Amino acid sequence: MDDIQVMICDDSALMRNLIQRIVDGTDGMSVCATAMNGKFALQKLETVKPDIIVLDIEMPEMNGVQFLEERKKRNIKTPVLILSSIATKGAAVTMQCLELGASDFITKPSGSTSSTITSVSGTIIEKISSYGGRFARLNGKQIPPTETFIQQAKLREAEADAAKKGIIDKIKPAHEAAPSTVLPPTLFATRKKEPDVITPIAEPGPIEIVALGISTGGPNALREVFAAIDPKFSKPILVVQHMPAGFTKEFAASLDRICPLAVKEAEDGDNIHPGQIYIAPGDYHIAVEKSTLCNVIRLNQQDPRNGHRPSADVLFESVAKIYKNRALGIIMTGMGRDGAAQLAEMRRQGAWTLGQDEDSSIVYGMPRVAWELGAVQKQVSLENMASEMSRIVRENGK
């Protein structure tokens, strides 16, 4: 097996060190280079070939935005993971980075100490293994399945929690960890099974709404889908994209700039209008409520579902209840199983359903589980998703 090679670009020596400890402490990935700004990163890219770049935004001489602009000019394909501030200004710049080709972002915790970085280490490992692992595989490397990295992160988090509670004395350095903590890649090999069979209780009816769930790989996937959607698309689209609070408003605005339909961050009580796209706010579940004149959006902060808030399962559950067989459910790239069970319920009610295929998914987790449950009628590539959903709505609208 090969390692995922990581370049870290941040002007803070402390931050570089903390992230390097997380990366080098994870079996199957290692740091191949560090840089204190974009200028030095470009110089090092002439001699090293990372599978992913972890990039800070605010740096002297050449900041993250300038680096991405230069990366685009030089046609550098290495995926970039942004380290972002949670502040409003940071959210706007982060969306600018996505528009310039960054794959995704991680919110940099305030303080940047060992304990605060540990709080996001699982997210760092998940996204490095997802984007960096896919890029490495496309370039011929033998990389363990993403699930092996996630399992390691969970084990480390469990150790940290146990150490904090005094159950164990301290966390061992990664190189001293017991062999049993690193699970064999074969344990998490992608399962291949025939999907379960769901017999709908009704034939699909005329589509009145589209519900879409997506996670890791979602920001750029949604940009591609919504930029290519039919301008005459006549049904509302409700979207759950797993994203932290403070970013979804800017994310919706960035999509609105490239989409022929109106895109906004959903607000509680919004009337659901045809031909509009509503993005669930970070840290809020989104659901549909039936109303006499016009169905409305309801937001809540009930417990996370499948570890997420917003959760695709919450959205799909409400759509299945209100619209039954008069809906289109779509599940796309993402880690885990959020959305799969309730997409199956939508299918049982007679709704139309689509899932992103394995080859075009950054992480074939959510769509795989949905497919295996029998929830997905048809698997579609990212490239064809906009045209397929447009076709289904056009041919089955009312």
Side-chain angles (χ1 to χ4, degrees):
M1 284 288 178
D2 300 310
D3 278 2
I4 299 171
Q5 298 293 319
V6 182
M7 172 184 278
I8 303 168
C9 183
D10 195 305
D11 62 321
S12 165
L14 174 61
M15 182 62 72
R16 293 196 302 271
N17 179 262
L18 291 173
I19 296 175
Q20 181 162 0
R21 284 167 56 189
I22 292 170
V23 172
D24 287 341
T26 303
D27 189 56
M29 61 177 65
S30 57
V31 172
C32 64
T34 61
M36 65 177 294
N37 59 40
K39 178 182 176 181
F40 287 116
L42 288 171
Q43 291 174 353
K44 292 190 176 185
L45 284 173
E46 296 175 3
T47 56
V48 298
K49 303 297 179 186
D51 299 308
I52 190 167
I53 301 167
V54 179
L55 181 72
D56 188 25
I57 295 178
E58 297 181 5
M59 297 178 291
E61 290 195 71
M62 180 181 284
N63 62 30
V65 172
Q66 293 167 327
F67 172 85
L68 288 167
E69 290 172 339
E70 190 63 30
R71 168 182 175 269
K72 191 173 183 179
K73 289 178 186 176
R74 300 188 187 192
N75 198 31
I76 297 170
K77 301 297 186 182
T78 309
V80 174
L81 188 59
I82 295 295
L83 288 169
S84 175
S85 164
I86 302 177
T88 302
K89 181 181 177 182
V93 176
T94 299
M95 294 309 125
Q96 183 184 1
C97 290
L98 293 180
E99 292 169 5
L100 286 169
S103 296
D104 210 330
F105 67 93
I106 296 169
T107 53
K108 183 190 294 188
S110 58
S112 301
T113 64
S114 180
S115 60
T116 58
I117 283 294
T118 298
S119 69
V120 296
S121 63
T123 303
I124 291 172
I125 292 170
E126 174 189 334
K127 295 194 174 182
I128 287 176
S129 61
S130 298
Y131 295 101
R134 187 170 192 271
F135 183 79
R137 291 185 198 98
L138 289 173
N139 284 280
K141 289 187 176 181
Q142 297 296 312
I143 302 296
T146 303
E147 289 86 349
T148 62
F149 296 99
I150 303 306
Q151 183 66 20
Q152 287 187 70
K154 288 180 178 178
L155 286 169
R156 298 297 289 173
E157 287 173 4
E159 286 182 344
D161 186 57
K164 185 177 180 181
K165 294 177 179 178
I167 298 172
I168 59 176
D169 292 336
K170 64 178 182 177
I171 304 172
K172 292 182 179 180
H175 65 276
E176 294 179 11
S180 59
T181 63
V182 180
L183 302 181
T186 53
L187 183 61
F188 295 97
T190 303
R191 292 177 294 170
K192 300 290 185 182
K193 67 182 285 287
E194 289 299 313
D196 295 335
V197 176
I198 292 177
T199 303
I201 61 177
E203 290 295 317
I207 295 170
E208 297 178 10
I209 194 170
V210 178
L212 190 157
I214 192 166
S215 187
T216 309
N220 282 337
L222 289 179
R223 288 180 60 81
E224 182 169 338
V225 170
F226 290 152
I229 200 166
D230 185 349
K232 296 180 181 178
F233 198 96
S234 59
K235 305 304 173 186
I237 304 174
L238 274 59
V239 179
V240 165
Q241 160 71 68
H242 297 156
M243 188 173 282
F247 288 91
T248 43
K249 189 177 184 67
E250 287 291 341
F251 180 56
S254 73
L255 293 174
D256 187 64
R257 290 192 285 270
I258 61 171
C259 181
L261 308 181
V263 185
K264 73 183 294 284
E265 181 187 55
E267 298 177 66
D268 188 58
D270 272 347
N271 289 329
I272 301 175
H273 294 299
Q276 292 202 17
I277 300 172
Y278 302 86
I279 307 295
D283 204 33
Y284 282 86
H285 291 306
I286 183 171
V288 177
E289 181 177 271
K290 192 172 182 61
S291 181
T292 305
L293 298 177
C294 182
N295 290 347
V296 299
I297 286 172
R298 288 302 178 198
L299 305 179
N300 69 73
Q301 287 189 305
Q302 293 175 6
D303 291 343
R305 184 92 67 91
N306 302 314
H308 297 286
R309 189 172 61 208
S311 162
D313 257 348
V314 172
L315 172 62
F316 291 163
E317 183 178 53
S318 73
V319 170
K321 180 179 179 181
I322 301 297
Y323 290 89
K324 301 187 184 301
N325 65 332
R326 306 183 312 280
L328 168 62
I330 303 172
I331 193 162
M332 296 179 65
T333 177
M335 180 73 63
R337 58 187 303 115
D338 188 37
Q342 292 305 320
L343 187 69
E345 175 58 21
M346 286 184 65
R347 181 72 193 114
R348 192 183 75 84
Q349 292 292 334
W352 303 81
T353 59
L354 295 174
Q356 188 173 348
D357 68 6
E358 183 172 7
D359 288 345
S360 68
S361 295
I362 295 295
V363 182
Y364 187 58
M366 288 161 49
R368 174 183 62 78
V369 177
W371 171 257
E372 292 181 352
L373 288 177
V376 174
Q377 284 177 290
K378 182 179 181 180
Q379 297 193 94
V380 182
S381 70
L382 175 59
E383 180 183 10
N384 294 324
M385 186 63 75
S387 60
E388 184 64 17
M389 61 189 287
S390 298
R391 181 192 67 79
I392 291 175
V393 168
R394 183 173 61 250
E395 295 179 358
N396 301 281
K398 67 174 183 177

